[in-house]
Amino acid sequence: MDFCRTPDPEYKPISSPIFYLCLMSEFLEQDIKFLPGVGPQRAELLKKELKIFTFNDLLYYFPYKYIDRTKFYKISEVTSTMSYIQLKGTILRFETSGEGLKQRLIAHFSDNSGVMELLWFQGIKWAKENIRTHVEYIVFGKPSVFGGKLNMVHPELEPAENKPVSTGIFQAFYNTTEKMKQKFMTSKALNKFQFNLSALIEGKIYESLPPTLISKLKLMSLPMALRQVHFPENPNLLKNALFRLKFEELFFIQLKILSLKHKRESSFKGFVFSQVGYNLNTFFNNYLPFELTNAQKKVIKEIRKDMGSGKQMNRLLQGDVGSGKTLVALMTALIAFDNGFQVSLMAPTEILAIQHYNSIKKMTDGLGIKIALLTGSTRIAKRTEIHKHLEDGSLQLLIGTHALIEDKVNFRKLGLVIVDEQHRFGVAQRAKLWKKNEFTPPHVLVMTATPIPRTLAMTVYGDLDVSVIDELPPGRKPIQTMHYHENRRKQVYDFMRDQVEAGRQVYVVYPLIKESEKLDLKNVENGFELLKQVFARYSISMVHGKMKSSDKEAEMNLFKEGKTQIMVATTVIEVGVDVPNASVMIIESAERFGLSQLHQLRGRVGRGAEQSYCLLMSSYKISNESRKRLETMVRTNDGFEIAEVDMQLRGPGDLEGTQQSGIGFTLKIANLGRDGEILQHARNQASDLLDNDPRLEKQENQILVYNLLKMKNTEFNWSSIS
Ligand code: ADP
Ligand code: MG
């Protein structure tokens, strides 16, 4: 991390404040073992467990919460649902029970309102030697219930006469790990380290943002914010400190993303698709199966403009399931053909690739476009033929799966790459597609049906332009969603029967995850056998990922053609499968699915004119989080709302499509789920700043350049998002 000395081709002339920053940053880059109170052994733990290697890492290791240390509860008021609380009282006596590993220490702790047990399973020897009876203690911990009694496990104790290291009424709490706690490296220990560090750096922290920005936005200064965030003096100062630090974190990310975008746009040229010709016109006039929705029209316009501008298009097309993205993709491809270019369309599963191939082939029948399908199961002879026609340019559209990028496919004139259902593809794979053209990169259109919360899109896909289809084709009735338990099974079967009798079709989906694959597979197969008995008069299909792809395809086709009425499946049908006559989606063990998956699955119905239903089956005992997911599904059909809830529940780092970027995990203080407003603010400020100084050449912005260079050395994986 020695960026002060390493010559960097992008390095700007050193102006004097930056020179001081370098000196300071050398000080802060010291090994954490040199911090008073730490030493080599604790340093090892800090490095291993929390990735705190330097003074600076510790300074930027922020509390996850604050507790008001002026508030004391009475034992008589305590309930097991409370979070961390503070009690004041004395220990009457100790008791040990159990032996060996099962040994535990019990302290009977009392205030004048009652008695509560404090429990230790570890560090018993230490506790016995250091904690005394009949001395007034402040006890800190989270109440729980054990053996029917209220208690507190591994509480923090402090003699009441000792003052806490916090200077104000709040005490900061830091996350630590089990391994650390075993060595008594608790939140309190970290608090002490922070205290020691704060004494060393007093008066030595420098501002990281230009003074004009600070005064324009009335931001707290960096040294003040760093002090207040660890040792808040009052709620207002804490609030301002948090705002300042969150803003700064998000601001630098946006500045980086937007300046990269700027750089890319000014250095790459794109193919100019200036023509709208035979293909698009003929299709539009003669073969368009329905009127486009206004949203589709708007989006096609945006795409056309972008592809005709001379820039290389990098566009994310968001649209809820069933909003008609395929048609937009097709019309975009037709523009490319009209300009003499080839197109590739990549889907995440073979089923979906085949479906796209069939439906696009059908829709463009009259145009005579040359289309081929390339998947993992394409035979060698066919493959060779495809390669040949791609290279001589006679093949216009190649539809396929990952095989498209893994294979040594060479296009003669690739002008557009369409990626369907982005969240299944890593960003790195998207980048691979680019490389298929040596000189000018093709336009890229990425489609996703997993609406990404705006805040996340701005960060993970911040370098892409975004189009949104926010309207479903007319005549769709909102899907009705219900949540049932096992006791309603018979009604569910009756309902299925009614629907099938009325000519509709039904999906029954089972979970299948890697960790419990064998068991899950058995459930699917058992479910299939059971349904065959219950619905002996009907035909039933089954599809799961372990089947041969030719069998899968055959089963899918039977269902598509209405020859089977019920489709038993795993999530292989999650993405994009289109059978408009299917009107019921039954999801078994729905509590085991994630929200975005549930939403995707539900999107398989409600594609025709009939009223559609989604029945979520679950066991009685489900976690609060699962309950919240199912309630959300019952309450709303709005994919964006669902995505927001998903992000609140899981945190952005776990959302599909973000794992590869690692962004959710790398943020130290801002939270993409909660700090959307600050993010928007930061983005606007970054954008304004770049408007005024696109290459960050102004003297007062050198401090930003310096900090951006510093970011390069952090774990934040820029290459994955640029
Ligand atoms: P998704 O956005 O989920 O990929 P699809 O492209 O599969 O959605 O479209 C869903 C269904 O809606 C398909 O059956 C498609 O033919 C139909 N559809 C698409 N656009 C329109 C439209 N403008 N009017 C009526 N139906 C449409
Ligand atoms: Mg689709």
Side-chain angles (χ1 to χ4, degrees):
M1 287 261 265
D2 205 5
F3 43 83
C4 286
R5 294 203 202 104
T6 317
D8 186 304
E10 287 177 44
Y11 200 73
K12 295 278 151 85
I14 289 177
S15 59
S16 64
I18 288 181
F19 177 68
Y20 283 112
L21 275 176
C22 283
L23 283 184
M24 191 56 219
S25 80
E26 269 181 32
F27 175 78
L28 282 174
E29 290 313 322
Q30 283 185 81
D31 194 313
I32 193 67
K33 74 179 175 202
F34 298 122
L35 185 73
V38 177
Q41 276 175 7
R42 294 197 183 107
E44 275 317 298
L45 267 178
L46 286 172
K47 290 173 189 176
K48 233 182 164 161
E49 298 292 301
L50 300 181
K51 306 231 172 324
I52 295 176
F53 295 92
T54 63
F55 286 12
N56 191 64
D57 293 339
L58 180 67
L59 187 60
Y60 281 83
Y61 190 71
F62 295 120
Y64 69 98
K65 68 166 184 197
Y66 301 87
I67 295 224
D68 181 347
R69 296 230 45 177
T70 56
K71 170 93 188 146
F72 289 94
Y73 284 88
K74 289 202 165 69
I75 290 178
S76 59
E77 301 172 320
V78 177
T79 66
S80 63
T81 54
M82 283 176 166
S83 163
Y84 285 80
I85 54 161
Q86 211 174 205
L87 304 167
K88 200 190 276 183
T90 56
I91 290 170
L92 303 177
R93 63 189 173 86
F94 284 107
E95 181 188 324
T96 34
S97 83
E99 270 180 36
L101 286 177
K102 291 226 169 113
Q103 199 183 42
R104 63 175 183 267
L105 177 69
I106 304 165
H108 297 261
F109 180 75
S110 151
D111 61 10
N112 41 27
S113 79
V115 178
M116 183 189 237
E117 290 185 356
L118 310 179
L119 292 181
W120 283 266
F121 300 99
Q122 274 153 7
I124 292 179
K125 190 163 163 280
W126 179 89
K128 268 186 176 161
E129 282 167 10
N130 290 283
I131 303 172
R132 284 170 297 151
T133 53
H134 302 291
V135 168
E136 189 166 50
Y137 279 106
I138 293 171
V139 168
F140 233 155
K142 198 170 149 43
S144 55
V145 177
F146 184 75
K149 273 189 274 186
L150 258 187
N151 58 36
M152 217 178 247
V153 179
H154 291 179
E156 280 180 25
L157 269 85
E158 190 167 21
E161 59 186 25
N162 281 12
K163 282 211 179 73
V165 285
S166 74
T167 50
I169 57 170
F170 284 122
Q171 170 147 16
F173 274 72
Y174 300 88
N175 274 317
T176 62
T177 65
E178 272 315 309
K179 275 215 180 94
M180 291 176 68
K181 281 179 195 143
Q182 282 168 21
K183 303 275 183 215
F184 310 109
M185 301 252 295
T186 56
S187 168
K188 215 170 107 189
L190 280 167
N191 207 275
K192 284 224 172 84
F193 299 157
Q194 294 289 5
F195 191 73
N196 297 344
L197 180 61
S198 72
L200 286 181
I201 60 176
E202 186 76 56
K204 290 188 191 152
I205 300 278
Y206 293 91
E207 193 42 74
S208 57
L209 294 171
T212 41
L213 197 63
I214 302 270
S215 58
K216 179 174 142 204
L217 303 179
K218 299 195 174 60
L219 294 173
M220 184 183 270
S221 74
L222 182 62
M224 177 77 163
L226 285 171
R227 166 126 198 124
Q228 290 296 326
V229 78
H230 294 294
F231 303 102
E233 280 166 50
N234 67 47
N236 207 30
L237 287 174
L238 175 60
K239 199 176 122 214
N240 291 340
L242 288 171
F243 181 84
R244 150 78 210 220
L245 294 168
K246 287 175 177 183
F247 174 84
E248 166 162 348
E249 183 168 47
L250 298 169
F251 175 79
F252 277 109
I253 292 174
Q254 291 304 321
L255 193 63
K256 183 90 184 184
I257 292 173
L258 293 174
S259 59
L260 282 174
K261 181 168 183 241
H262 212 274
K263 211 165 170 184
R264 192 191 64 217
E265 284 173 0
S266 56
S267 54
F268 277 122
K269 284 217 165 28
F271 296 120
V272 182
F273 291 0
S274 54
Q275 314 276 328
V276 169
Y278 171 79
N279 289 300
L280 189 68
N281 287 332
T282 316
F283 179 77
F284 191 79
N285 295 326
N286 304 334
Y287 301 110
L288 191 61
F290 19 60
E291 173 100 13
L292 293 174
T293 63
N294 285 329
Q296 283 170 321
K297 283 184 204 160
K298 176 193 74 184
V299 162
I300 291 170
K301 216 187 237 168
E302 285 167 359
I303 293 172
R304 256 182 69 180
K305 191 166 161 225
D306 214 0
M307 296 195 305
S309 72
K311 279 191 309 190
Q312 181 232 354
M313 176 171 78
N314 263 287
R315 189 166 283 274
L316 178 70
L317 174 57
Q318 292 201 40
D320 215 337
V321 270
S323 60
K325 293 185 294 295
T326 316
L327 196 58
V328 171
L330 172 60
M331 292 178 70
T332 307
L334 293 175
I335 298 173
F337 305 148
D338 278 340
N339 288 273
F341 284 89
Q342 294 168 300
V343 176
S344 80
L345 167 59
M346 187 160 71
T349 65
E350 191 162 7
I351 291 185
L352 196 55
I354 294 166
Q355 182 182 291
H356 277 323
Y357 176 75
N358 290 332
S359 72
I360 288 178
K361 211 160 165 60
K362 207 163 112 200
M363 280 196 276
T364 59
D365 217 17
L367 293 174
I369 289 162
K370 301 276 183 307
I371 310 177
L373 176 72
L374 184 69
T375 69
S377 14
T378 307
R379 292 282 155 78
I380 298 207
K382 181 77 192 161
R383 218 170 256 265
T384 317
E385 188 194 320
I386 289 175
H387 288 169
K388 184 166 153 266
H389 290 143
L390 282 175
E391 277 172 44
D392 70 22
S394 59
L395 189 58
Q396 290 166 286
L397 174 60
L398 181 63
I399 299 176
T401 53
H402 290 76
L404 289 194
I405 37 177
E406 273 135 30
D407 210 332
K408 51 169 188 359
V409 182
N410 287 315
F411 290 81
R412 183 177 177 86
K413 220 179 162 191
L414 180 63
L416 169 68
V417 172
I418 302 169
V419 182
D420 195 12
E421 311 296 352
Q422 154 76 6
H423 64 286
R424 293 291 180 93
F425 286 112
V427 186
Q429 287 168 316
R430 175 155 58 98
K432 247 185 181 177
L433 273 168
W434 278 45
K435 305 236 165 71
K436 297 262 169 222
N437 268 26
E438 274 181 32
F439 304 106
T440 309
H443 296 299
V444 178
L445 181 67
V446 173
M447 305 195 287
T448 175
T450 307
I452 298 156
R454 248 168 34 86
T455 54
L456 201 57
M458 265 193 266
T459 309
V460 184
Y461 303 113
D463 64 326
L464 301 184
D465 294 305
V466 179
S467 289
V468 181
I469 307 186
D470 50 7
E471 178 190 9
L472 293 180
R476 299 271 171 82
K477 298 193 179 78
I479 302 163
Q480 287 180 25
T481 303
M482 277 88 66
H483 173 202
Y484 290 136
H485 296 296
E486 205 48 45
N487 62 340
R488 299 286 288 274
R489 175 76 55 191
K490 179 162 181 317
Q491 280 111 305
V492 171
Y493 285 159
D494 289 345
F495 180 72
M496 282 170 72
R497 193 172 287 113
D498 289 348
Q499 287 283 309
V500 175
E501 287 296 327
R504 307 280 96 75
Q505 288 164 286
V506 179
Y507 291 103
V508 183
V509 176
Y510 287 84
L512 196 160
I513 54 169
K514 269 226 174 68
E515 293 80 59
S516 51
E517 188 171 303
K518 270 202 178 129
L519 202 68
D520 285 348
L521 212 52
K522 209 161 160 41
N523 284 338
V524 182
E525 279 159 357
N526 290 345
F528 177 60
E529 293 304 325
L530 182 72
L531 287 169
K532 275 208 294 206
Q533 287 166 22
V534 179
F535 297 102
R537 291 179 44 217
Y538 308 130
S539 308
I540 307 182
S541 281
M542 175 166 67
V543 171
H544 58 70
K546 288 275 157 273
M547 288 163 61
K548 274 211 306 232
S549 66
S550 53
D551 294 344
K552 268 191 284 192
E553 195 191 337
E555 288 292 314
M556 268 319 294
N557 280 335
L558 286 175
F559 189 66
K560 244 184 151 159
E561 289 158 13
K563 290 180 181 143
T564 54
Q565 289 83 44
I566 299 173
M567 163 62 81
V568 176
T570 57
T571 44
V572 283
I573 63 132
E574 176 190 340
V575 174
V577 170
D578 189 27
V579 181
N581 188 49
S583 65
V584 184
M585 166 61 64
I586 296 173
I587 305 177
E588 298 287 346
S589 304
E591 73 272 23
R592 292 179 54 197
F593 290 87
L595 252 181
S596 80
Q597 248 183 337
L598 289 171
H599 182 60
Q600 285 288 324
L601 285 168
R602 177 167 62 182
R604 299 309 108 218
V605 297
R607 309 193 133 228
E610 302 301 325
Q611 175 63 54
S612 289
Y613 305 88
C614 175
L615 309 186
L616 306 169
M617 305 298 295
S618 86
S619 54
Y620 291 99
K621 265 195 93 166
I622 57 178
S623 68
N624 284 341
E625 200 180 307
S626 299
R627 189 169 309 281
K628 177 96 203 234
R629 287 199 295 263
L630 300 183
E631 278 169 12
T632 305
M633 288 295 293
V634 171
R635 185 184 75 238
T636 180
N637 275 305
D638 178 346
F640 280 94
E641 192 179 336
I642 288 170
E644 293 286 349
V645 175
D646 201 20
M647 192 161 84
Q648 311 283 345
L649 284 178
R650 297 203 290 171
D654 282 340
L655 280 193
E656 283 181 88
T658 65
Q659 279 100 337
Q660 304 95 336
S661 74
I663 281 172
F665 298 116
T666 318
L667 290 177
K668 288 195 157 77
I669 191 159
N671 176 312
L672 293 180
R674 287 193 288 270
D675 299 324
E677 256 174 60
I678 306 180
L679 174 57
Q680 183 65 60
H681 185 53
R683 186 169 171 97
N684 295 345
Q685 293 304 326
S687 171
D688 284 358
L689 196 133
L690 286 169
D691 282 348
N692 283 320
D693 186 11
R695 293 149 168 267
L696 297 179
E697 285 164 339
K698 290 190 180 160
Q699 179 65 25
E700 74 153 30
N701 289 334
Q702 293 319 297
I703 189 137
L704 298 174
V705 176
Y706 169 82
N707 279 297
L708 286 175
L709 285 174
K710 212 162 99 172
M711 279 168 84
K712 236 190 207 166
N713 296 318
T714 66
E715 57 195 287
F716 200 109
N717 191 359
W718 288 110
S719 59
S720 72
I721 62 161
S722 51

